[in-house]
Amino acid sequence: MSTWKTILLQDSASPLMEQLSFFHDHTLMILLIITVMVSQLMITLFFNKFNHRYLLEGQLIEIIWTILPAITLIFIAIPSLRLIYILDEMNNPSITVKTIGHQWYWSYEYSDFKSIEF
């Protein structure tokens, strides 16, 4: 149940929404890890007084900071693609309602019943 001080998402009512909540938590955990690592590196560099002798020859660090974001995107993309395919499931609805929002009013069309409109 949602209250005024709830920080997280509401409780899910369907398995698809539960999977969306899990993906949300998974992605936020990855972002939290990235934020903590970058903050720690920036604080360490700010208070560090030592100089590295081979700092200007950084082929290894360039390889690392090219591959790590790609791996991070893969860790986000694989659950996302799985979730997209789960959500794309076609069901046979019992009724179809077409809702059109105009500037001052809404119009509804029931195409299953000889085009009833109001």
Side-chain angles (χ1 to χ4, degrees), residues 2 20-22 27 30-31 37 57 72 75 90-92 104 106 115:
S2 179
L20 283 170
S21 297
F22 290 156
T27 307
I30 290 174
L31 290 176
M37 276 182 29
E57 299 174 8
T72 305
F75 276 119
M90 290 293 201
N91 294 330
N92 290 328
W104 298 107
W106 293 89
S115 298

Side-chain angles (χ1 to χ4, degrees), residues 3-104:
T3 60
W4 65 274
K5 60 182 177 178
T6 303
I7 297 173
L8 302 173
L9 296 174
Q10 294 182 11
D11 293 336
S12 58
S14 69
L16 295 178
M17 184 59 200
E18 187 177 15
Q19 291 297 318
L20 283 170
S21 297
F22 290 156
F23 175 68
H24 176 262
D25 295 341
H26 172 75
T27 307
L28 281 182
M29 188 58 65
I30 290 174
L31 290 176
L32 180 72
I33 291 169
I34 291 171
T35 304
V36 167
M37 276 182 29
V38 169
S39 300
Q40 191 268 335
L41 285 172
M42 288 179 64
I43 290 170
T44 303
L45 288 174
F46 184 70
F47 291 114
N48 192 1
K49 300 289 188 228
F50 301 114
N51 292 328
H52 194 269
R53 195 166 108 177
Y54 299 109
L55 185 64
L56 297 178
E57 299 174 8
Q59 289 87 12
L60 180 65
I61 191 69
E62 287 183 8
I63 291 171
I64 290 172
W65 75 42
T66 302
I67 291 175
L68 279 181
I71 292 171
T72 305
L73 288 176
I74 288 170
F75 276 119
I76 293 174
I78 290 174
S80 173
L81 288 174
R82 187 181 66 84
L83 192 58
I84 286 174
Y85 286 117
I86 289 173
L87 290 173
D88 194 38
E89 179 181 317
M90 290 293 201
N91 294 330
N92 290 328
S94 59
I95 189 169
T96 304
V97 180
K98 179 179 176 183
T99 306
I100 303 171
H102 301 281
Q103 186 172 1
W104 298 107

